[in-house]
Amino acid sequence: MWQSSPPGSIYDYIRVASFSIGPDGLIEQWSRRAAGLFGIAAHEAVGRDPVETFMPAELRTGGHRRVGEILDGKEWTGLVPFRMPGEDAVHGLAEVYVMPSETESGAPAALCIVVDVRALRRIETDLAASQAIFGQSPFGFVLFGTDFTVVRANQRFATVFGGQAADHRGRTVDDYLARPEAERLTATLRRVLETGDSVTDLQLVGTAPGDSERRHWSMNLYRVHSGSGRAIGIAGLATDVTRRHIAAREAASARRNLALLNEAGARIGNSLDLETTARELLGVAVPGFCDLASVDLYQGLLTGDEAAPGSWGSLHHESVGGSAELRRVAFASAVSDALPTTAPDSASTDGATDPPALGAVHRYSFNSPCSMALRTGRIEVVPGDDRGFVQSTLAVPMVAHDTVVGLVQFSRTKGSEPFGERDRALATELAARAAVCIDNARLYRREHERALILQRSLLPPGDPEAAGLDIACRYLPGNTATEVGGDWFDVIELPGHRTALVVGDVMGRGLRAAVAMGELRTAVRTLALLDLEPAEVLSALDEVARGLGTPGVSTPSDGPGGAQWPSRASHKARDADLSEVYLATCVYAVYDPVTRRCTFANAGHLPPVVVEPGEPALLLDVPPGMPLGVGGEPFEEVEVELKEGALLALYTDGLVESRDHPLDEGLQALRNALIEPELPLEDVCDHVLSTLDTRHGEDDIALLMARIQGLPVDAVGDWRLPREPRSVGRARELARRQLLAWELDDLVDTTELLVSELVTNALRYGEGEIRLRLLRDRTLVCEVWDAGLVQPRRRRARDTDEGGRGLQLVGLLSAAWGSRRTPRGKTVWFELPLPDGEPAAERTVEQLLSMF
């Protein structure tokens, strides 16, 4: 039975042919493989002499001899060079095996089998090269059959998975990989076998026999074919890429860390609030760096304790810092069922093991890792609890300027990647950045509180009082972060129940403007006590403003030479540094409740607004003048008589001007907001602030409002006395009668005595007609007017002097006294408190003797 060679047999790779020689030495039969090997068809070869046809001329003699020997019955095997017919060059070398045979008639013949030596040597070379590559390669080679079992593996593959290369024959992928990975590789092998598409860089994860470390392999797969093109298996080249994977993971970790640091720089420290900064830190760390995190800050830091740093965490006071009280200010978790703690050693003061809740004040036990981190300023690793889900925790002290301000704890749960050295460095950097921001916030808060104390001490109380005025005021800082600015207002009581109303605005903002404001406000109060006219006050204040910031310039002071102001030389020195120039605007008004007249002077400020009953709001036409600090121009005064119940508003430009609202629109909006002046004054202030745009944050806002309430006619006693001695007695009689009418009997004797002294001095040292005026409001004020310009001066009388003790007596018996200039002379006054039902205090012997 005939059977052809199956596809993929050895004959597909080597070139074998056969032919036969008849008794006459000529070719008798010629196979098809011979035709393919020699390139001669059968009809051309049959009947020809093989020696003459295929062998070179120089070898033909020996060839005929060999053919004769073969026909004589000898076998022969040898190498025979041959050439293609019609060509002179030798084209190949054939290994010929000649076997004697017989024809049907018994005549001698021969059967020749020819093998192309070139194909054999090529196969030998290919096998040697394949064996060298397969056996000596540093990569693992494996050949899977069509049933996905291992047909062959090289020694490198066996080195990784144990045994010898032959031991792996017949194994499957389940013998090397865990089930999920094995199923993935099997599916890939099937796809490569079916489609013929190669697969490169297939990532596989597993463990080698006897090794617990996870390994990573990269595998390239391609289909292998036979010589006839039939698929006979899948070849795989496996490379251990564990180190490359680790390096890539470290690079990714480094990129992640850099990204976290960049994010930390952008997100941490945007607020100057301590707790907000702590929450910003955890917002960066969770879940990008860890699964759980918490921040504890020292309680003394949060309460603003200004004690020595060692008492709440200085590195130079290790014995104290680790066990001081802390408050948990922030907590974050990427785990839904996480407890509000990140360390198993967290304990409250009483030793309980429950973690501190958010906002709770607690201590760490002295020997705990957290306490150790706080004392030493070094990071500590807190191992996880086997019963819990936390794998490990980094307790990182928050150190800023060699001072520990708190502790941050970063935790990773079981199943997450453990912390490494790079993670420890990142945790330290994150904590340090947050610590610096927290320390800056602490320093800012301290300076901010001091600035607020400074500014609030310079502003009048929330409900200042004045005779004949109902007053309400508001102050809104333009910068809500600092709450410190250069706007100010003031209400100053003057002699004669008069009141000075002041509103000013130092150009600029922040602490520098607040300090300048404080200096100007102090100067205004000093000048107001001198009872100068409003224009004179602004002129002197202008000199003060030009002297601010110049080293060596004295502020106004009372001395032998009177008030001292900055010299012109100091102004020239000041011009050298324009950055130190202080400019301010100010409006100064003096209100007299007896006459209901108000005198205004303006230094570059916005005009006051007056609303009289039943009338629309008006802007008073007060010449603005130049701002304080410019100098060179005098200030003008304007006197206005105000009706009973009228409303007066003084304000700064922040109320009526912003980038979105021009000044004219703002002034009109202010006038429109004052359409209901009969409301309570506090409600009027609130209505103005709620109606106008006060939230622009560009400038401070100061608003001072006063409702006019003149003194009643029956609260004023006013008389004119001729310049004669009997006027002294007449003055006493008028004062007694008026006090009795006011039911101030307890003040009669003292008032008579002091009125007698002042009128006597007016007769003795003054000029012109004498005027006596009594004013009753919250206190009793007595004023004596005359046309003389010489101011009274208190002096100590000698023991032998019979007089000279009048003003000493006035100073001793009155609550306050003084004198001021008037347009036509001077006024000497004293003030007495109204009786409260308690008996008046008796004067001591020392007080009485002080007059002698």
Side-chain angles (χ1 to χ4, degrees):
M1 182 177 63
W2 297 95
Q3 181 178 356
S4 62
S5 61
S9 67
I10 187 64
Y11 301 108
D12 293 337
Y13 300 96
I14 62 177
R15 303 179 70 182
V16 180
S18 64
F19 61 91
S20 62
I21 300 176
D24 55 0
L26 302 178
I27 297 175
E28 189 176 59
Q29 292 181 337
W30 188 256
S31 68
R32 293 180 179 176
R33 288 187 179 269
L37 174 63
F38 295 105
I40 300 176
H43 68 276
E44 297 177 352
V46 174
R48 297 181 63 176
D49 184 348
V51 174
E52 296 293 332
T53 303
F54 301 107
M55 295 186 67
E58 63 273 12
L59 299 178
R60 290 173 184 172
T61 301
H64 285 298
R65 186 174 60 253
R66 294 291 185 189
V67 171
E69 294 176 353
I70 291 169
L71 293 177
D72 289 341
K74 291 185 178 181
E75 291 186 0
W76 181 79
T77 301
L79 296 176
V80 178
F82 66 91
R83 60 179 178 83
M84 298 300 293
E87 297 184 12
D88 296 334
V90 176
H91 291 278
L93 184 66
E95 182 178 0
V96 181
Y97 176 46
V98 183
M99 296 174 288
S101 63
E102 294 180 354
T103 64
E104 294 179 356
S105 60
L111 177 62
C112 300
I113 298 177
V114 183
V115 178
D116 188 351
V117 176
R118 295 176 303 174
L120 289 177
R121 290 180 178 175
R122 185 169 60 251
I123 293 173
E124 180 182 10
T125 301
D126 291 344
L127 288 175
S130 175
Q131 183 63 30
I133 295 174
F134 196 82
Q136 299 174 19
S137 172
F139 308 111
F141 270 96
V142 60
L143 179 63
F144 295 97
T146 55
D147 58 354
F148 308 137
T149 60
V150 176
V151 176
R152 184 178 180 184
N154 68 349
Q155 189 58 41
R156 177 60 182 169
F157 185 88
T159 301
V160 175
F161 292 99
Q164 297 298 318
D167 299 336
H168 294 272
R169 186 171 300 166
R171 292 183 178 180
T172 65
V173 293
D174 296 301
D175 298 320
Y176 304 104
L177 299 173
R179 184 169 182 175
E181 292 290 271
E183 291 177 351
R184 191 161 64 91
L185 178 57
T186 301
T188 305
L189 291 173
R190 181 175 291 106
R191 185 172 69 254
V192 172
L193 182 63
E194 291 174 355
T195 64
D197 298 332
S198 60
V199 173
T200 60
D201 198 21
L202 175 65
Q203 297 293 318
L204 299 172
V205 180
T207 56
D211 189 0
S212 59
E213 182 182 1
R214 290 166 60 90
R215 310 292 295 179
H216 295 261
W217 294 285
S218 173
M219 199 163 192
N220 298 331
L221 300 171
Y222 57 93
R223 190 169 66 182
V224 179
H225 303 88
S226 66
S228 62
R230 181 176 62 90
I232 61 175
I234 305 100
L237 174 63
T239 306
D240 190 337
V241 293
T242 303
R243 292 184 179 179
R244 187 177 71 186
H245 182 81
I246 293 174
R249 185 176 59 190
E250 290 181 351
S253 176
R255 289 193 299 269
R256 181 199 64 188
N257 292 352
L258 289 175
L260 277 175
L261 289 176
N262 182 61
E263 185 181 5
R267 294 179 56 183
I268 299 177
N270 293 324
S271 169
L272 289 172
D273 180 74
L274 301 178
E275 298 184 7
T276 301
T277 302
R279 289 192 293 269
E280 290 171 347
L281 168 62
L282 300 192
V284 173
V286 179
F289 177 68
C290 61
D291 302 316
L292 305 170
S294 66
V295 176
D296 299 321
L297 297 180
Y298 278 107
Q299 179 70 355
L301 175 71
L302 295 168
T303 57
D305 185 7
E306 292 296 334
S311 62
W312 50 268
S314 172
L315 298 181
H316 304 294
H317 296 77
E318 297 182 1
S319 61
V320 179
S323 57
E325 286 188 341
L326 300 106
R327 184 193 304 172
R328 177 142 300 179
V329 297
F331 172 76
S333 170
V335 184
S336 59
D337 57 348
L339 297 175
T341 183
T342 58
D345 72 332
S346 299
S348 58
T349 306
D350 57 4
T353 57
D354 293 336
L358 188 65
V361 178
H362 63 97
R363 298 175 187 265
Y364 290 109
S365 58
F366 187 80
N367 294 323
S368 66
C370 291
S371 182
M372 183 69 69
L374 290 169
R375 290 198 303 273
T376 63
R378 293 190 295 270
I379 189 172
E380 294 287 338
V381 179
V382 183
D385 190 348
D386 294 338
R387 296 172 296 176
F389 59 89
V390 174
Q391 178 188 102
S392 63
T393 297
L394 297 179
V396 188
M398 305 177 73
V399 183
H401 307 114
D402 292 333
T403 298
V404 179
V405 299
L407 182 76
V408 58
Q409 299 178 64
F410 303 108
S411 295
R412 289 181 180 173
T413 57
K414 293 178 180 179
S416 299
E417 186 177 351
F419 289 113
E421 282 300 319
R422 196 186 300 273
D423 295 323
R424 290 163 61 95
L426 176 61
T428 303
E429 178 65 22
L430 289 175
R433 291 194 179 197
V436 170
C437 295
I438 287 175
D439 193 53
N440 289 340
R442 176 185 67 87
L443 295 174
Y444 163 78
R445 184 179 65 183
R446 184 184 66 186
E447 297 304 319
H448 181 218
E449 289 175 352
R450 292 176 178 177
L452 284 181
I453 292 173
L454 169 64
Q455 186 171 40
R456 289 169 182 171
S457 66
L458 296 176
L459 293 175
D463 51 350
E465 297 181 354
L469 292 176
D470 181 16
I471 296 177
C473 50
R474 296 290 187 273
Y475 174 78
L476 297 178
N479 187 346
T480 56
T482 62
E483 299 184 6
V484 176
D487 289 14
W488 91 92
F489 60 91
D490 208 346
V491 178
I492 307 170
E493 294 187 59
L494 300 178
H497 287 315
R498 295 172 304 131
T499 303
L501 303 176
V502 188
V503 169
D505 182 3
V506 176
M507 297 181 185
R509 62 181 59 185
L511 186 59
R512 179 176 178 269
V515 171
M517 176 270 286
E519 296 184 17
L520 291 177
R521 178 180 181 272
T522 302
V524 170
R525 281 192 159 265
T526 302
L527 296 168
L529 293 178
L530 296 177
D531 213 350
L532 302 175
E533 295 296 324
E536 294 177 325
V537 170
L538 292 186
S539 295
L541 197 61
D542 178 62
E543 293 290 334
V544 174
R546 288 197 285 167
L548 292 180
T550 302
V553 175
S554 61
T555 56
S557 60
D558 291 334
Q564 301 296 319
W565 308 110
S567 65
R568 295 297 179 185
S570 68
H571 295 161
K572 293 181 180 179
R574 183 174 178 75
D575 292 339
D577 186 3
L578 295 179
S579 65
E580 290 296 325
V581 171
Y582 287 83
L583 295 178
T585 63
C586 179
V587 60
Y588 184 89
V590 175
Y591 172 68
D592 187 345
V594 178
T595 62
R596 292 201 313 274
R597 288 183 173 272
C598 191
T599 305
F600 296 91
N602 192 352
H605 204 79
L606 295 175
V609 176
V610 173
V611 186
E612 294 186 344
E615 299 292 335
L618 296 176
L619 297 177
L620 290 182
D621 186 13
V622 181
M626 299 299 292
L628 301 176
V630 176
E633 293 293 332
F635 298 97
E636 299 182 37
E637 293 181 359
V638 172
E639 187 176 66
V640 179
E641 183 175 352
L642 302 174
K643 293 183 179 180
E644 184 75 17
L647 193 63
L648 174 65
L650 305 178
Y651 52 93
T652 57
D653 57 357
L655 181 66
V656 295
E657 185 178 23
S658 67
R659 292 189 182 94
D660 300 327
H661 298 86
L663 179 59
D664 292 342
E665 293 182 6
L667 290 174
Q668 184 60 44
L670 174 60
R671 296 172 60 189
N672 295 337
L674 295 173
I675 58 176
E676 298 181 1
E678 68 278 359
L679 294 176
L681 202 54
E682 294 291 336
D683 294 343
V684 175
C685 281
D686 294 337
H687 176 70
V688 169
L689 294 182
S690 62
T691 303
L692 275 65
D693 178 20
T694 59
R695 300 182 180 274
H696 49 73
E698 299 172 13
D699 199 1
D700 307 325
I701 296 174
L703 174 63
L704 177 61
M705 303 191 74
R707 177 171 283 126
I708 304 303
Q709 297 174 350
L711 288 181
V713 176
D714 59 359
V716 179
D718 194 352
W719 307 273
R720 297 182 183 273
L721 303 173
R723 190 172 185 80
E724 55 187 31
R726 64 178 183 176
S727 293
V728 176
R730 176 61 176 165
R732 287 198 303 266
E733 180 183 355
L734 293 173
R736 170 182 288 272
R737 187 182 305 166
Q738 185 66 65
L739 292 181
L740 292 176
W742 287 340
E743 298 181 353
L744 299 177
D745 302 23
D746 294 341
L747 300 181
V748 170
D749 294 338
T750 302
T751 303
E752 276 191 299
L753 176 60
L754 299 184
V755 165
S756 177
E757 289 294 334
L758 294 188
V759 173
T760 300
N761 282 345
L763 289 173
R764 182 177 299 177
Y765 305 108
E767 298 178 5
E769 186 182 36
I770 299 173
R771 181 182 179 187
L772 173 64
R773 190 167 74 168
L774 294 179
L775 307 175
R776 186 197 65 182
D777 193 67
R778 290 175 298 155
T779 62
L780 176 67
V781 175
C782 176
E783 299 175 332
V784 176
W785 306 47
D786 68 80
L789 299 178
V790 178
Q791 297 290 325
R793 183 169 62 89
R794 183 177 177 178
R795 64 183 180 85
R796 182 175 294 277
R798 292 174 294 184
D799 295 344
T800 57
D801 291 344
E802 295 182 0
R805 297 178 179 86
L807 292 182
Q808 285 183 280
L809 186 63
V810 173
L812 178 64
L813 298 180
S814 66
W817 78 278
S819 67
R820 68 178 185 273
R821 291 182 301 167
T822 64
R824 295 179 180 85
K826 67 176 180 299
T827 299
V828 183
W829 59 271
F830 67 85
E831 184 176 341
L832 294 175
L834 298 181
D836 54 5
E838 297 293 332
E842 295 290 338
R843 302 296 174 181
T844 64
V845 176
E846 289 77 8
Q847 289 176 327
L848 295 174
L849 290 177
S850 65
M851 296 186 296
F852 298 92

